[in-house]
């Protein structure tokens, strides 16, 4: 049973376009929502994270939007670049519980 | 070099054999984790450790054993490997459980 549902499974975007990856959760106790980026052959690395007291967090071209009432959060990549091609994982946790990861989205940005 | 390393990077073994995957971190992080990554499942926690000699089960612990005699090392042992354990295994560490986890490069394991 996946506690964090991620979509789409794969995404193809043209260079300069906006990439949007969505995640939904059921457990309202979750209070920390990170996004990890993974390049082929590498381990995941933290990209950006948000806590539910804010609705949006932006770091450069990457933005997390958080909708607490809908229990959804999403990653937006503005001006997508071929170097952004990677697999992206959303995750969620609370208190001292295990981090729960989404199934991942493979993003391909075409030049 | 500082960071988190895993060895071996690739391993082929046969069903029923014992396999140990190694993980070493140089940050002195309290927490260490073992995940497996499978297509369609993302990352699933196998075991984690909050400190030396303290370990606990994650979501998918069956068939695995861990130990942590030193803060910097966290080996994962498959006591009798099965084909369903073919996967990519990632070790990670963090200072606190609900904080950024730093992942190693992974070990790709194939069980024949």
């Amino acid at each position: 049973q996946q506690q964090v549902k991620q979509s789409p499974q794969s995404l193809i975007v043209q260079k300069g376009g906006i990439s949007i990856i969505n995640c939904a959760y059921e457990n309202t106790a979750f209070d920390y929502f990170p996004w990890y980026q993974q390049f082929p052959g590498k381990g995941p690395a933290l990209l950006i994270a948000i806590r539910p007291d804010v609705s949006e967090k932006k770091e450069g071209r990457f933005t997390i939007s958080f909708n607490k009432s809908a229990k959804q959060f999403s990653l937006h990549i503005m001006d997508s670049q071929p170097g952004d091609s990677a697999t992206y994982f959303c995750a969620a946790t609370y208190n001292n519980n295990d981090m729960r990861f989404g199934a991942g989205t493979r993003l391909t940005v075409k030049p | 070099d500082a960071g988190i390393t895993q060895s071996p990077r690739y391993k082929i073994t046969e069903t029923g054999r014992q396999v140990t995957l190694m993980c070493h971190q140089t940050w002195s992080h309290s927490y260490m984790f073992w995940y497996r990554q499978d297509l369609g499942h993302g990352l699933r926690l196998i075991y984690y450790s909050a400190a030396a000699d303290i370990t606990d089960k994650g979501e998918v612990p069956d068939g695995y054993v861990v130990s942590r005699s030193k803060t910097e090392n966290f080996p994962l042992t498959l006591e009798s490997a099965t084909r369903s354990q073919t996967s990519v295994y990632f070790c990670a560490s963090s200072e606190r459980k609900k904080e950024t986890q730093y992942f190693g490069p992974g070990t790709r394991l194939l069980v024949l």
Side-chain angles (χ1 to χ4, degrees):
Chain A
Q1 177 190 0
Q2 199 130 36
Q3 294 195 22
V4 180
K5 293 185 178 180
Q6 184 172 346
S7 63
Q9 193 172 18
S10 62
L11 179 63
I12 299 174
V13 173
Q14 290 294 129
K15 178 182 175 182
I18 302 173
S19 304
I20 302 175
I21 304 171
N22 300 300
C23 285
Y25 63 96
E26 288 297 324
N27 189 343
T28 55
F30 286 142
D31 65 359
Y32 177 65
F33 302 88
W35 284 87
Y36 281 81
Q37 179 188 53
Q38 183 183 27
F39 292 106
K42 305 289 185 183
L46 180 71
L47 182 64
I48 186 172
I50 197 168
R51 299 186 190 275
D53 51 344
V54 296
S55 60
E56 187 175 282
K57 183 174 181 179
K58 185 175 181 179
E59 289 185 3
R61 296 183 294 110
F62 300 90
T63 300
I64 299 179
S65 297
F66 186 82
N67 187 329
K68 190 173 182 178
S69 60
K71 293 184 286 185
Q72 294 176 347
F73 58 110
S74 59
L75 176 69
H76 296 234
I77 306 174
M78 310 300 289
D79 186 27
S80 299
Q81 299 297 312
D84 297 330
S85 296
T87 298
Y88 292 82
F89 294 96
C90 61
T93 187
Y94 69 102
N95 293 338
N96 212 32
N97 288 273
D98 301 341
M99 190 85 71
R100 297 291 186 177
F101 286 84
T105 296
R106 178 174 286 187
L107 171 66
T108 302
V109 181
K110 292 197 167 183
Chain B
D1 287 343
I4 185 165
T5 57
Q6 294 182 236
S7 61
R9 294 294 313 278
Y10 303 92
K11 178 73 177 178
I12 300 174
T13 191
E14 294 177 336
T15 301
R17 297 217 178 215
Q18 183 179 83
V19 177
T20 296
L21 310 184
M22 304 302 292
C23 178
H24 175 79
Q25 54 109 352
T26 60
W27 292 302
S28 298
H29 283 163
S30 297
Y31 281 86
M32 295 188 75
F33 308 84
W34 274 107
Y35 291 91
R36 59 178 291 172
Q37 184 176 26
D38 304 287
L39 198 61
H41 290 280
L43 293 153
R44 291 181 292 175
L45 183 66
I46 304 170
Y47 270 95
Y48 72 94
S49 167
D53 297 321
I54 301 176
T55 62
D56 207 348
K57 296 178 181 180
E59 184 182 356
V60 289
D62 293 343
Y64 303 94
V65 174
V66 293
S67 62
R68 194 166 175 207
S69 56
K70 292 183 178 181
T71 301
E72 60 267 30
N73 296 324
F74 190 38
L76 175 74
T77 297
L78 289 66
E79 292 191 303
S80 178
T82 65
R83 287 186 183 148
S84 65
Q85 292 177 310
T86 291
S87 186
V88 182
Y89 291 86
F90 286 100
C91 178
S93 72
S94 66
E95 184 52 40
R96 295 178 186 81
K97 196 173 183 188
K98 195 172 82 174
E99 269 193 11
T100 302
Q101 293 187 18
Y102 296 89
F103 285 80
T107 294
R108 191 175 292 270
L109 176 68
L110 174 62
V111 183
L112 299 174

